[in-house]
Amino acid sequence: MAAHLSYGRVNLNVLREAVRRELREFLDKCAGSKAIVWDEYLTGPFGLIAQYSLLKEHEVEKMFTLKGNRLPAADVKNIIFFVRPRLELMDIIAENVLSEDRRGPTRDFHILFVPRRSLLCEQRLKDLGVLGSFIHREEYSLDLIPFDGDLLSMESEGAFKECYLEGDQTSLYHAAKGLMTLQALYGTIPQIFGKGECARQVANMMIRMKREFTGSQNSIFPVFDNLLLLDRNVDLLTPLATQLTYEGLIDEIYGIQNSYVKLPPEKFAPKKQGDGGKDLPTEAKKLQLNSAEELYAEIRDKNFNAVGSVLSKKAKIISAAFEERHNAKTVGEIKQFVSQLPHMQAARGSLANHTSIAELIKDVTNRVLLLLPRLECNGTISAHRNLRLPGSSDSLASASQVAEITASEDFFDKLTVEQEFMSGIDTDKVNNYIEDCIAQKHSLSKVLRLVCLQSVCNSGLKQKVLDYYKREILQTYGYEHILTLHNLEKAGLLKPQTGGKNNYPTIRKTLRLWMDDVNEQNPTDISYVYSGYAPLSVRLAQLLSRPGWRSIEEVLRILPGPHFEERQPLPTGLQKKRQPGENRVTLIFFLGGVTFAEIAALRFLSQLEDGGTEYVIATTKLMNGTSWIEALMEKPF
Amino acid sequence: MDCYTANWNPLGDSAFYRKYELYSMDWDLKEELRDCLVAAAPYGGPIALLRNPWRKEKAASVRPVLDIYSASGMPLASLLWKSGPVVSLGWSAEEELLCVQEDGAVLVYGLHGDFRRHFSMGNEVLQNRVLDARIFHTEFGSGVAILTGAHRFTLSANVGDLKLRRMPEVPGLQSAPSCWTALCQDRVAHILLAVGPDLYLLDHAACSAVTPPGLAPGVSSFLQMAVSFTYRHLALFTDTGYIWMGTASLKEKLCEFTCNIRAPPKQMVWCSRPRSKERAVVVAWERRLMVVGDAPESIQYKQLTIQVLLDRLVLRRLYPLAIQICEYLRLPEVQGVSRILAHWACYKVQQKDVSDEDVARAINQKLGDTPGVSYSDIAARAYGCGRTELAIKLLEYEPRSGEQVPLLLKMKRSKLALSKAIESGDTDLVFTVLLHLKNELNRGDFFMTLRNQPMALSLYRQFCKHQELETLKDLYNQDDNHQELGSFHIRASYAAEERIEGRVAALQTAADAFYKAKNEFAAKATEDQMRLLRLQRRLEDELGGQFLDLSLHDTVTTLILGSHNKRAEQLARDFRIPDKRLWWLKLTALADLEDWEELEKFSKSKKSPIGYLPFVEICMKQHNKYEAKKYASRVGPEQKVKALLLVGDVAQAADVAIEHRNEAELSLVLSHCTGATDGATADKIQRARAQAQKK
């Protein structure tokens, strides 16, 4: 069912099985037929843990979305609420329970808090007079959800805002709990490194929780060699830049939710002769994206410019494989060919899907895909102000295509500006492109992303520049966004430069964040994921593993929050003796979110032959610059 | 041989029994047992006797007395019963004595007569009083079943984790059932009751009539029923002197017997020896005892496990012996030694003649960090004995905040609880303490406490943001946080106020706050917004249409789209919209109107600060190539190629690119050349490139 989770260095299926078992045990406690009432936010993440079939096996007959008023009719013995511990949800639950028809058959109510039971919520239920109605009130500690063989996420949308804006560390506590669960399954992690205020707090909580469990000595041989906790606000820059890996671009353009993406259906229409394109599908095409799909696993982390050649190579291999049927003469040969057919057909379907996705992305980015199958491209990459950027378009400027071309032109212009900022060009004055974006009312999140990027790359903007942007934004998009701007300032994404000193160049040079020679096809450095910019967060991880952070003390001091190291002593029997050439395994936890491009960069490091470290990635939320900024936006009406 | 069989009596045809005394009771009972409520614990546990249970006089001399004896009659405890009238006594599996009072309160005592706790069986029971009660044992623990004066049943299947279930009504039940019992089947507790000739099974959802298979006819009433200890078997005694024995599931009859006694028996119980295959029911009347047995069949009895044995030793305070057994059996610490030490500690805290310091030290010395020891359990016991200070000292050794905090709250040490909760990082705990504190302290003290705990303060702010907006304002005021106050009033201007005057007033308050916060920008922007709001209201009055809550930019656009150009100009001037943006704005609006004449006039009003490429783009977007071409010629040299390509003039674009000798532009044009029509142009570019390379 989830075999791809067990392919990595650490078998994350163990975690998945553990949480599935916990779910089954809970369901069996409520004997008899049941209906689940869902906190809607949970259905996505739960889908990665248990399909409906599992629930059905345990007598779940109906599922509803949690809403006010009366529960829908259901002839079941048990009603179970699956909810996050939030007060507003408790109010709805109480409404449901109180409006239960008393003349009808009595039903048992239960409540499952995800990921943690909450005294506050139970108090609220008590105040509303319904606490006694629940037979089972339990918690389901679904903190870290396995997304892929090397990827775990808490999918906690508000984590960044809560931690950095509101001083609410709930998600940090859950993160620490999740790490304790991981250690219970995969052994105590002997070394903890961290950078940032939140990282420090999570480490403290872990140490404290370990003391609480003194009773149960963990006797599992440790799988992870170390843990690196990283605050998102140590690296505010990376998520603001546009991701240029295949998966990153899919996420930037269409948004990946709980490993699913919804795509415009036109390109996926089955091509039939004489159909005249009458019955174009109207419903979005939904695809699951993870390493269970062989082709996707191969291309997801590549720079988009390197995807075309892979796709075209695959196309040749697959058609060659299908051609084999002409060579199959004997019964045995035919039999063998037929036995391979399902695999080949799956591969062909997968190739067709990704070719369509690549075309969709190309329409937006206008990147040159020289070797994309089914496409005829004759463009070349042009040098633009000495920055490596895609430049040419391959189709005619017919009037109907103007919009498309402008869109891709615009993508190109945006990228140019981003790359200028990241390489330190003209970060201290009002940028023409941003001004034009505002004047044309481009999406506010796009504008904010750029302004914040400029601010971060200049260690804050000059007061005059900052005020100008702010005024332009308020006048154009509306005064109410003053609250959003305030939030961004609180988060440090947007700020006036203090002391007139720009630290970014020092950081950039020391950490080699800008690389002039990038090979997008056969990368030699992590900077390929942004076509030049090496994500700061991943660079920190890379330098920690070799040669160690001592070499960058000065930069670490400039970056916000403390850096630290903790050891968790192991009994001698569990201490690891590494074989020569055996890689270390580092669990890297991004507190406040991580982007697919950063994940790609870490996978690149894991695969380096002499890298010495393999990474398993955990985060509070999988995100991109837009979803990040949008989570910080506030709409008062 | 005679001497061996002399005391054996025949039972039926093939079985014999004998009576002999295992041991004599040490007690010295003065009352008749019939005048007492009696409860004997299972597995040879203690026996409780409540003398004079029904006396209601207040006089101490005739108050009921509760005596607890060991199974052999050794007195363990004796106390005067000072609470309400007791209906029923029973021992839990943990050897706790449950005393069910008439008002539905259940008082729990330890083996040594120590009061543990009490709980209520609910309001319904309190109102209708307890008519009858049973204590029963399930695999979860021990349960209590109550029959109320309203002839309804309420039960809790596990008093350790109290959840009350009110059973459904029995249709037509006007008086108490002739007999009833609690049953436990499929992990669920049921009630079986007899009303006249009918038997009913109650579960928490329904009441269903049941019939035992093979029941002899002619029964008009069931006088007594008995369930075996494992809930597998059931015996029924009817008014015809008939005994039915079968499975408790009522699916199978094991045997039946008719005796010549019709009187209701005083007692009927299942009995059998461990590992014996023979089962029997013993029926007792005033002066007669009858044993009814059946054919052998295998039954498994749960043995006393080692855990239960240890519990028993602990309850009898034989700690060293228990520890020796643990060590001998090499039990894991958590199950063995730690548990016994914890029990010892709980006993230790009850020694009132030892000082708090000494007790705490002694406990910590013996227990240290022994795994599996819950200091909070010990502390709770200390608190239960009225030793709060000792409890606090013991709690210091508790590493689990989740355990520490609730007890501290219970002991009214809320501030200590707050700092412990904060230390743990568990925000839910912090919230819980905060709400506690909020009720406990007056507002001023509560705010002061928050002030010293930044983490708690921010959490409380979050709480207020969603639950108590007014308090949020007070918090910001207290901290002189004018910036946040400003934002607060902005939100209020959108959320709370409908009328324009109200909104403006809220914004004025916000602006004042921003001035105090020295946030000049926000203050000015807020004042601008007040001005804009008033203006939008006037526009709506004068021109009709919707203006309120549009941004300034959109207000101007709307004016242009409505051909109110003068007003648009005025507004742009008043609010100092930068020239460049105003040009974009007008360009977009006029193109939307497809007012090409006005657009051309506008383009010529002065030199465009945004160049002319945007004009080309926007015309092409509206599919007007004719207009687009007009502007393409005015585009500056840097963007000329782009403009020409946009309007589809590839040939001219090539000429310009060649003239510029710009490689990037040449490539761009080349990429726009399509095979058939632009062949010549493409060749031209290639030639120009070749020439350039020669040089």
Side-chain angles (χ1 to χ4, degrees):
Chain A
M1 208 50 239
H4 62 289
L5 296 180
S6 52
Y7 295 156
R9 176 74 184 273
V10 177
N11 183 355
L12 293 183
N13 226 355
V14 172
L15 173 64
R16 186 171 183 267
E17 280 310 317
V19 288
R20 278 164 71 90
R21 190 165 51 240
E22 205 187 323
L23 181 62
R24 286 198 207 103
E25 278 166 12
F26 172 76
L27 289 172
D28 286 344
K29 265 188 206 167
C30 314
S33 58
K34 14 191 144 2
I36 296 179
V37 184
W38 287 97
D39 170 353
E40 209 168 6
Y41 186 82
L42 291 176
T43 52
F46 257 80
L48 296 165
I49 295 302
Q51 266 82 27
Y52 184 50
S53 54
L54 181 143
L55 301 176
K56 225 168 157 182
E57 277 165 31
H58 295 265
E59 295 180 83
V60 175
E61 291 174 2
K62 291 261 168 65
M63 311 240 262
F64 306 118
T65 305
L66 182 65
K67 301 199 269 271
N69 278 322
R70 194 183 267 196
L71 284 169
D75 183 20
V76 289
K77 188 156 165 282
N78 300 282
I79 304 268
I80 314 176
F81 294 93
F82 277 35
V83 286
R84 288 167 297 162
R86 288 171 174 252
L87 289 179
E88 62 273 19
L89 298 181
M90 298 307 111
D91 296 349
I92 301 177
I93 291 176
E95 213 177 307
N96 281 175
V97 172
L98 290 171
S99 55
E100 172 78 350
D101 194 344
R102 304 213 170 272
R103 287 157 303 173
T106 48
R107 304 192 282 192
D108 284 351
F109 290 107
H110 314 276
I111 191 161
L112 187 65
F113 289 109
V114 186
R116 208 126 283 121
R117 208 171 146 170
S118 145
L119 294 165
L120 185 70
C121 287
E122 294 188 358
Q123 182 62 42
R124 170 60 67 101
L125 290 173
K126 197 172 172 189
D127 294 345
L128 294 167
V130 294
L131 188 69
S133 310
F134 297 97
I135 311 270
H136 290 294
R137 295 193 306 271
E138 307 220 348
E139 68 182 24
Y140 182 46
S141 24
L142 187 64
D143 292 304
L144 286 165
I145 303 159
F147 270 66
D148 221 315
D150 58 356
L151 181 60
L152 300 157
S153 171
M154 292 164 57
E155 284 308 284
S156 160
E157 206 162 32
F160 181 85
K161 190 177 179 192
E162 286 161 20
C163 292
Y164 299 99
L165 248 67
E166 296 167 345
D168 175 352
Q169 344 170 318
T170 307
S171 51
L172 299 182
Y173 183 72
H174 293 173
K177 283 272 185 187
L179 284 165
M180 297 313 283
T181 309
L182 277 189
Q183 292 188 95
L185 294 170
Y186 299 99
T188 304
I189 307 175
Q191 251 182 320
I192 304 175
F193 298 94
K195 170 70 187 167
E197 208 59 64
C198 294
R200 180 68 263 182
Q201 287 184 36
V202 170
N204 286 350
M205 288 182 211
M206 285 173 71
I207 293 162
R208 200 190 150 81
M209 287 173 188
K210 189 163 182 253
R211 228 175 347 127
E212 294 193 3
F213 292 125
T214 42
S216 42
Q217 188 57 256
N218 191 337
S219 57
I220 295 172
F221 199 82
V223 176
F224 296 106
D225 296 284
N226 44 46
L227 164 67
L228 169 58
L229 295 160
L230 267 187
D231 273 36
R232 184 72 272 175
N233 82 339
V234 170
D235 171 16
L236 293 170
L237 196 165
T238 303
L240 293 169
T242 303
Q243 310 170 70
L244 295 177
T245 57
Y246 182 53
E247 188 167 41
L249 272 169
I250 296 177
D251 187 41
E252 293 278 349
I253 299 168
Y254 298 106
I256 300 175
Q257 296 286 344
N258 296 306
S259 85
Y260 284 92
V261 68
K262 283 184 185 163
L263 297 160
E266 303 83 32
K267 292 239 157 125
F268 296 90
K271 289 212 167 69
K272 276 185 201 153
Q273 293 283 310
D275 203 9
K278 256 183 284 172
D279 302 315
L280 274 177
T282 48
E283 216 169 280
K285 172 92 173 171
K286 196 175 173 189
L287 286 176
Q288 186 167 26
L289 300 174
N290 61 34
S291 61
E293 190 184 351
E294 208 178 300
L295 175 61
Y296 188 63
E298 191 180 338
I299 57 176
R300 67 196 303 184
D301 300 318
K302 289 193 183 302
N303 184 293
F304 186 63
N305 270 349
V307 168
S309 60
V310 178
L311 291 179
S312 110
K313 232 179 276 165
K314 285 276 144 157
K316 279 184 199 133
I317 294 170
I318 289 174
S319 43
F322 275 98
E323 282 306 309
E324 279 294 305
R325 71 178 184 276
H326 300 301
N327 303 332
K329 297 270 160 41
T330 68
V331 174
E333 283 167 351
I334 292 172
K335 214 171 158 187
Q336 205 201 340
F337 176 82
V338 170
S339 74
Q340 284 165 356
L341 257 180
H343 180 74
M344 285 161 61
Q345 277 162 344
R348 187 162 63 178
S350 166
L351 178 69
N353 279 343
H354 288 291
T355 307
S356 300
I357 298 175
E359 282 176 27
L360 282 169
I361 294 175
K362 207 191 119 292
D363 287 348
V364 178
T365 63
N366 197 22
R367 296 217 117 197
V368 182
L369 287 172
L370 284 168
L371 299 163
L372 199 64
R374 299 221 317 260
L375 287 176
E376 283 178 309
C377 311
N378 57 352
T380 52
I381 298 171
S382 75
H384 181 91
R385 296 186 65 169
N386 297 324
L387 299 165
R388 288 163 316 283
L389 283 167
S392 60
S393 85
D394 57 88
S395 51
L396 263 184
S398 77
S400 65
Q401 284 175 314
V402 169
E404 203 170 276
I405 291 174
T406 340
S408 56
E409 283 276 328
D410 185 62
F411 186 85
F412 173 86
D413 291 343
K414 182 178 74 171
L415 227 53
T416 312
V417 170
E418 284 183 9
Q419 300 211 338
E420 282 175 356
F421 287 160
M422 292 189 291
S423 53
I425 299 169
D426 288 345
T427 53
D428 58 348
K429 52 187 185 205
V430 172
N431 181 283
N432 275 335
Y433 174 73
I434 298 181
E435 249 187 317
D436 285 354
C437 285
I438 298 173
Q440 295 172 75
K441 269 193 102 173
H442 284 191
S443 82
L444 178 57
S445 54
K446 172 186 171 185
V447 167
L448 291 174
R449 230 175 127 166
L450 284 166
V451 175
C452 290
L453 182 70
Q454 184 178 353
S455 171
V456 173
C457 290
N458 198 53
S459 302
L461 296 167
K462 282 183 183 161
Q463 192 69 50
K464 234 177 82 186
V465 175
L466 178 63
D467 286 354
Y468 179 80
Y469 280 138
K470 279 161 65 176
R471 202 174 119 88
E472 282 294 278
I473 289 167
L474 294 188
Q475 286 201 349
T476 308
Y477 297 92
Y479 165 77
E480 66 272 18
H481 297 291
I482 194 169
L483 298 172
T484 298
L485 292 175
H486 181 200
N487 285 348
L488 295 174
E489 287 179 71
K490 253 166 116 181
L493 279 161
L494 194 59
K495 60 178 186 186
Q497 201 179 68
T498 44
K501 185 161 161 39
N502 181 1
N503 285 323
Y504 177 69
T506 315
I507 300 171
R508 189 185 72 229
K509 280 173 205 147
T510 318
L511 300 182
R512 294 180 300 119
L513 297 185
W514 185 260
M515 304 295 280
D516 273 322
D517 47 345
V518 166
N519 185 339
E520 291 169 342
Q521 305 288 332
N522 299 299
T524 52
D525 180 73
I526 55 170
S527 55
Y528 85 93
V529 297
Y530 288 98
S531 292
Y533 165 71
L536 192 161
S537 56
V538 181
R539 195 64 104 200
L540 285 179
Q542 189 184 11
L543 287 166
L544 174 68
S545 119
R546 198 176 290 169
W549 276 356
R550 208 160 286 169
S551 60
I552 50 163
E553 284 279 344
E554 197 186 329
V555 165
L556 284 174
R557 266 197 301 276
I558 298 174
L559 295 170
H563 56 284
F564 60 88
E565 179 184 345
E566 296 281 350
R567 278 171 196 277
Q568 304 200 88
L570 290 173
T572 35
L574 295 179
Q575 279 165 17
K576 209 170 186 175
K577 286 174 200 75
R578 201 172 304 115
Q579 305 296 319
E582 190 190 338
N583 284 340
R584 273 175 304 199
V585 184
T586 294
L587 174 64
I588 175 168
F589 202 131
F590 289 84
L591 300 163
V594 70
T595 64
F596 287 107
E598 285 168 303
I599 294 168
L602 286 164
R603 287 186 181 141
F604 169 79
L605 292 179
S606 294
Q607 281 158 14
L608 280 185
E609 260 177 39
D610 54 350
T613 303
E614 286 178 55
Y615 294 93
V616 172
I617 304 134
T619 184
T620 50
K621 178 88 178 86
L622 294 167
M623 60 151 191
N624 60 47
T626 304
S627 65
W628 188 34
I629 293 287
E630 279 171 357
L632 292 171
M633 285 169 71
E634 189 176 337
K635 295 176 193 76
F637 62 92
Chain B
M1 289 299 280
D2 255 14
C3 54
Y4 290 109
T5 53
N7 52 355
W8 287 87
N9 305 308
L11 175 67
D13 294 336
S14 57
F16 293 86
Y17 76 93
R18 63 172 172 166
K19 291 196 291 188
Y20 63 97
E21 191 170 22
L22 285 172
Y23 51 81
S24 61
M25 297 298 279
D26 280 347
W27 60 23
D28 180 21
L29 279 187
K30 297 200 172 53
E31 290 78 15
E32 291 267 1
L33 277 177
R34 78 173 86 178
D35 296 333
C36 304
L37 275 177
V38 184
Y43 304 114
I47 300 168
L49 284 176
L50 187 66
R51 285 182 272 153
N52 309 323
W54 301 283
R55 296 280 179 80
K56 285 188 177 169
E57 293 92 350
K58 288 271 160 23
S61 59
V62 284
R63 269 191 191 153
V65 179
L66 178 66
D67 289 316
I68 300 176
Y69 298 96
S70 75
S72 60
M74 293 259 293
L76 294 174
S78 176
L79 52 128
L80 268 185
W81 188 257
K82 293 174 184 168
S83 306
V86 175
V87 177
S88 179
L89 289 182
W91 290 92
S92 75
E94 295 82 32
E95 296 194 320
E96 283 183 327
L97 180 64
L98 308 178
C99 311
V100 184
Q101 292 194 148
E102 197 186 18
D103 59 0
V106 180
L107 282 67
V108 184
Y109 288 86
L111 179 58
H112 299 279
D114 43 322
F115 176 72
R116 295 273 168 87
R117 64 203 149 91
H118 71 92
F119 57 87
S120 159
M121 291 299 288
N123 268 337
E124 203 261 341
V125 177
L126 174 66
Q127 271 160 26
N128 296 315
R129 318 305 283 178
V130 178
L131 209 59
D132 195 4
R134 300 284 152 83
I135 281 90
F136 58 98
H137 304 282
T138 69
E139 55 195 287
F140 311 116
S142 303
V144 177
I146 301 273
L147 171 64
T148 70
H151 311 304
R152 290 287 296 263
F153 289 92
T154 293
L155 67 78
S156 163
N158 179 7
V159 296
D161 177 20
L162 195 71
K163 277 172 194 131
L164 296 177
R165 279 179 184 279
R166 190 165 179 236
M167 306 303 253
E169 212 169 332
V170 181
L173 185 62
Q174 296 297 333
S175 58
S178 56
C179 55
W180 64 278
T181 183
L183 273 178
C184 194
Q185 286 173 339
D186 304 332
R187 306 160 64 104
V188 182
H190 304 268
I191 300 276
L192 182 69
L193 69 150
V195 183
D198 302 317
L199 283 176
Y200 294 98
L201 190 66
L202 281 179
D203 61 26
H204 59 272
C207 167
S208 37
V210 287
T211 319
L215 185 79
V219 174
S220 59
S221 167
F222 293 89
L223 301 181
Q224 186 67 271
M225 59 175 74
V227 187
S228 68
F229 192 69
T230 54
Y231 295 105
R232 282 171 195 240
H233 301 103
L234 174 72
L236 301 164
F237 187 91
T238 73
D239 57 344
T240 51
Y242 167 80
I243 297 174
W244 181 92
M245 287 161 68
T247 57
S249 59
L250 290 169
K251 286 194 175 126
E252 199 188 331
K253 180 169 80 175
L254 296 173
C255 73
E256 57 189 358
F257 180 79
T258 309
C259 66
N260 53 7
I261 309 172
R262 304 282 156 96
K266 274 213 80 165
Q267 227 182 340
M268 178 163 82
V269 287
W270 284 86
C271 67
S272 58
R273 285 174 291 135
R275 280 186 294 278
S276 154
K277 290 179 175 176
E278 288 167 44
R279 286 148 308 175
V281 168
V282 180
V283 193
W285 288 267
E286 202 68 28
R287 297 193 171 280
R288 193 192 283 252
L289 200 67
M290 189 172 78
V291 183
V292 182
D294 79 308
E297 191 199 297
S298 92
I299 317 172
Q300 261 191 322
Y301 272 90
K302 270 189 198 158
Q303 292 242 359
L304 266 180
T305 60
I306 183 69
Q307 293 301 343
V308 176
L309 175 68
L310 289 174
D311 282 347
R312 310 227 135 179
L313 291 173
V314 162
L315 279 172
R316 285 155 185 78
R317 293 174 192 159
L318 300 169
Y319 305 108
L321 179 58
I323 288 179
Q324 274 175 10
I325 291 178
C326 292
E327 283 168 354
Y328 178 73
L329 293 174
R330 299 209 179 124
L331 289 180
E333 278 195 322
V334 178
Q335 291 167 30
V337 176
S338 328
R339 210 162 55 99
I340 288 153
L341 282 174
H343 278 291
W344 164 80
C346 286
Y347 169 61
K348 187 85 186 163
V349 298
Q350 295 170 35
Q351 293 181 341
K352 304 223 165 164
D353 45 341
V354 188
S355 76
D356 291 344
E357 279 77 15
D358 291 347
V359 174
R361 202 178 315 118
I363 288 176
N364 187 237
Q365 260 168 17
K366 263 228 167 61
L367 272 61
D369 279 339
T370 315
V373 166
S374 163
Y375 276 98
S376 57
D377 284 355
I378 305 167
R381 188 60 67 84
Y383 176 63
C385 306
R387 298 182 74 168
T388 311
E389 287 310 315
L390 173 58
I392 291 171
K393 285 198 169 64
L394 287 168
L395 273 182
E396 280 299 321
Y397 300 117
E398 172 62 66
R400 292 167 303 168
S401 330
E403 306 290 321
Q404 239 173 4
V405 170
L407 190 59
L408 284 170
L409 283 182
K410 212 163 140 192
M411 299 191 301
K412 306 234 181 311
R413 300 297 156 109
S414 320
K415 286 186 190 171
L416 186 57
L418 183 62
S419 51
K420 292 285 174 200
I422 291 171
E423 255 173 53
S424 76
D426 182 347
T427 46
D428 183 54
L429 265 188
V430 180
F431 269 128
T432 307
V433 180
L434 280 178
L435 294 193
H436 215 92
L437 277 171
K438 189 181 152 207
N439 292 331
E440 197 179 274
L441 303 175
N442 68 44
R443 205 175 161 87
D445 289 348
F446 178 54
F447 278 19
M448 273 316 289
T449 310
L450 285 178
R451 237 183 147 154
N452 300 323
Q453 299 281 10
M455 183 245 196
L457 178 60
S458 26
L459 280 181
Y460 189 61
R461 272 197 211 118
Q462 279 321 105
F463 173 81
C464 292
K465 210 169 190 171
H466 297 112
Q467 307 286 335
E468 287 178 25
L469 269 180
E470 277 308 299
T471 314
L472 183 65
K473 193 171 75 183
D474 297 344
L475 282 171
Y476 289 143
N477 263 320
Q478 172 187 273
D479 297 345
D480 289 330
N481 191 340
H482 299 295
Q483 174 66 33
E484 289 296 344
L485 269 175
S487 298
F488 178 90
H489 290 293
I490 292 175
R491 282 185 204 105
S493 85
Y494 286 101
E497 291 291 346
E498 290 274 328
R499 295 164 309 115
I500 198 87
E501 299 81 16
R503 293 183 58 174
V504 171
L507 288 177
Q508 182 63 60
T509 326
D512 294 345
F514 286 134
Y515 276 122
K516 278 189 198 150
K518 301 212 164 38
N519 187 342
E520 196 91 359
F521 175 86
K524 286 262 161 31
T526 307
E527 283 168 352
D528 277 354
Q529 176 64 7
M530 291 156 60
R531 209 146 54 94
L532 182 64
L533 271 180
R534 288 201 194 96
L535 218 130
Q536 286 172 329
R537 161 46 48 91
R538 209 179 317 137
L539 287 174
E540 283 189 359
D541 289 346
E542 292 170 16
L543 308 175
Q546 181 94 40
F547 284 96
L548 273 176
D549 283 324
L550 292 183
S551 70
L552 174 65
H553 191 94
D554 292 347
T555 310
V556 177
T557 303
T558 311
L559 285 171
I560 295 176
L561 290 176
S563 304
H564 306 290
N565 289 333
K566 280 239 172 74
R567 290 210 189 222
E569 294 286 347
Q570 184 62 39
L571 205 58
R573 257 198 311 281
D574 285 356
F575 286 89
R576 291 181 294 122
I577 294 183
D579 221 20
K580 273 165 84 175
R581 181 152 58 82
L582 189 60
W583 272 68
W584 274 109
L585 188 161
K586 277 193 182 170
L587 165 66
T588 316
L590 291 174
D592 271 356
L593 283 175
E594 301 196 34
D595 190 345
W596 307 116
E597 205 177 310
E598 190 64 32
L599 184 64
E600 192 171 355
K601 235 163 67 192
F602 167 58
S603 78
K604 287 175 179 160
S605 61
K606 67 175 199 184
K607 188 174 176 288
S608 163
I610 56 172
Y612 294 91
L613 187 63
F615 285 77
V616 179
E617 280 173 349
I618 210 142
C619 292
M620 287 305 289
K621 246 186 219 169
Q622 301 281 358
H623 313 299
N624 195 332
K625 203 173 193 169
Y626 173 77
E627 289 293 330
K629 281 190 167 166
K630 282 188 191 167
Y631 301 106
S633 59
R634 295 166 68 183
V635 171
E638 266 183 40
Q639 295 173 314
K640 194 92 173 187
V641 172
K642 234 178 184 176
L644 289 167
L645 286 175
L646 269 175
V647 298
D649 196 340
V650 183
Q652 210 188 327
D655 290 345
V656 175
I658 292 168
E659 193 185 313
H660 286 173
R661 297 182 187 172
N662 181 322
E663 179 49 37
E665 286 182 358
L666 286 171
S667 307
L668 186 65
V669 179
L670 200 56
S671 72
H672 279 75
C673 292
T674 44
T677 46
D678 304 317
T681 314
D683 291 346
K684 201 168 166 186
I685 292 173
Q686 298 297 11
R687 276 200 305 279
R689 270 184 167 171
Q691 260 185 356
Q693 268 172 6
K694 269 181 208 160
K695 284 173 194 168

